Amino acid sequence: MTNIKQKSIPERQLWAQFDALQLGTGWDEEDIKKPQILVEDVYGDSHPGSVHLNKLTEQVKYGVFESGGFPAQFHVTDICDGCAQGHNGMNYILASREAICDMVEVHGCVCPWDGMILASSCDKSIPAHLKAAARLDIPTIFIPGGSMRIGPNMTTSLVAGDIALRQKRKGQITDQEVRDYKLTGCPSAGACTFLGTASTMQCMAEALGLALPGSALMPATMTDILRNSRKAGREIMGLIEKDITPSKILTKEAFINAIIVHSAIGGSTNATIHLPSIALELGIELTPDLFDEINHKIPHIGNINPSGSQLTESFWFAGGIPMVQLMLKEYLNLDVMTVTGKTLGENLEDLEKENFFDRNLGYLANYGLKREDVIFPLESVKEIGSIAILKGNIAPEGSVVKYSACVESMFVHKGIARAYNSEEDAYNAVVNGDINPGDVLVIRYEGPRGSGMPEMLMTTEAIVCDKRLNGTVSLVTDGRFSGATRGAAIGHVSPEAASGGPIAWIVTGDIIEYNMHERTLNVVGIDGVEMSLDEVDKVFNERAKEGVIPRPARTGLYRRYTTSALSAMKGAGY
């Protein structure tokens, strides 16, 4: 039996119904005397990343019981970007991060919990959980929900991009091919097995020190993930006894470590929204320039789809985040505290002693792979960093591009703008053949206040799956991208169009030029005629007199979010 003094004793003495209500849920009189652990997940039938989480939190409960505590389960089911593609549902996705965070805050504040364990797998639920952990600041362990099984022929669920494009073009696909994809595209529970935002944020939770070492991207179908969950249930008591809370783990140094890891693995551009938003909960500012500075010096060692060729299951077999941290230890602060109650450096030493780094290499051999096929040795690295922050007269506050998922020939480009006020219109233009090789597709009014900052995966996949356009067409938007986005995709343009940002003043026929090496993004010509930047500014000032396009009337959460959301450069929270 633990000697931890229960936090809720004063509240229980205030109102006898507190105990009566808990007893009414099936607890007994001994249970209500124990340290009480909030076990919060996003379990539900919403998508493969959440449908299995009840099995993980069941193991958590066993671990909590073993260590003398009592677990209480709460759920706020998340939603999936993949189910929201191409329709109005996508506009609610980023807002859902705030809704989930707020509900966990509600659950965490109504009762004085002694500790908390969070479990999620995917794009918005992980940052929501990490934001809530920072906000509540009680001893917390995060459990990543792991990776889905690999699809046929080492594919991922993103075969959907090619399928969807050919479905819309007569005679390019059969019903059988579509059905075969639907039956094999998502072969198990877990996060999609490419380094999209879901997988990236699992890695960020571990890199920040809030998840147990080696837990990010464990295969969701293997027993390792069950053992990890059980261990988290046991370990939470140690954090409570030592009073190690998220604010003692999520320091500025920890966030810098996470950005270094993000740069090295080629993580999703959405981390440039989520990490600053988590940090703001603790009063820490992560500027776009910090991301850019780090990406100027960190070797890109992760050969992981979409920036590389391998999948997330193989990345975990190769050693996962701990292997990356071990290889980059000269760049990292190894003295940061983690949820083990030990420092990052101590964790890496422990993992080496228990043979973590070599234990799973045999699984890689099943695929004919070696570690160096998945995580490049430092001496063989050819690319530094994976993302860049571009600024200029289109994006005075900044924009983000993942150059590690872009062909080198498109690192510098000048082309004619094709401007659209919604992704739907732009996507249809691609499908209908209205976009020409070399064009720069501009999609605006899709920022946080414009429409909730939806991702543009349907459009980016339509471009790269079109042989006529792939490798020549760029996309510039104040919206965001899927972590799986490939190609010359420049997003998060700030200020956004709905806030009067200059992206609103671009007209079809203008000339856009960007240079990823020099970190620039500018309109350099008007109506097909090249001009100086000063001349372009004068034209923009005249166009700005017309004002931004009014946004449609909105209600509920959607109205609250789009009315008050911060800039993408500040995390797009509210």
Side-chain angles (χ1 to χ4, degrees), residues 10 12 18 31 37 40 44 67 74 83 85 240 345 354 385 406 469 487 489 538 545 560-561:
R12 293 175 185 284
F18 192 149
D31 295 332
I37 310 302
E40 181 87 44
S67 56
F74 286 65
C83 296
Q85 288 294 334
I240 296 169
E354 67 171 58
C406 174
L469 304 181
K538 291 179 182 177
K545 292 177 182 178
R560 290 195 300 275
Y561 179 73

Side-chain angles (χ1 to χ4, degrees), residues 22 113 321 330 397 403:
Q22 292 191 324
W113 303 100
I321 292 304
E330 293 182 6
E397 293 177 5
Y403 57 80

Side-chain angles (χ1 to χ4, degrees), residues 203 206 213-218 261 265 301-302 304 312-327 348 351 356-357 360-361 364 371 374-375:
C203 294
E206 184 177 337
S215 61
L217 303 181
M218 284 181 169
V261 170
I265 63 176
I301 60 177
I304 317 166
T312 53
E313 181 182 87
S314 297
F315 176 61
W316 187 75
F317 292 150
I321 292 304
M323 192 69 230
V324 171
Q325 291 170 323
L326 189 66
M327 292 173 63
L348 293 177
L351 289 173
F356 172 82
F357 295 108
N360 296 315
L361 292 179
L364 270 184
R371 174 178 285 142
V374 186
I375 305 175

Side-chain angles (χ1 to χ4, degrees), residues 163-176:
I163 295 285
L165 180 63
R166 290 190 289 131
Q167 275 185 296
K168 296 174 180 65
R169 291 178 171 173
K170 188 175 180 180
Q172 291 198 5
I173 197 167
T174 65
D175 291 343
Q176 186 62 53

Side-chain angles (χ1 to χ4, degrees), residues 300-315:
H300 179 201
I301 60 177
N303 181 26
I304 317 166
N305 181 288
S307 294
S309 60
Q310 305 304 323
L311 302 178
T312 53
E313 181 182 87
S314 297
F315 176 61

Side-chain angles (χ1 to χ4, degrees), residues 192-252:
C192 294
T193 188
F194 48 85
L195 195 60
T197 307
S199 297
T200 296
M201 292 312 298
Q202 289 192 34
C203 294
M204 292 299 94
E206 184 177 337
L208 286 168
L210 275 184
L212 292 174
S215 61
L217 303 181
M218 284 181 169
T221 55
M222 292 177 66
T223 56
D224 301 78
I225 200 167
L226 300 178
R227 289 193 292 271
N228 178 73
S229 302
R230 183 88 162 249
K231 183 178 181 181
R234 292 194 297 266
E235 293 287 323
I236 190 64
M237 289 302 175
L239 290 187
I240 296 169
E241 289 183 282
K242 296 175 183 177
D243 192 31
I244 298 176
T245 63
S247 63
K248 297 174 182 176
I249 296 172
L250 298 177
T251 60
K252 182 68 173 285

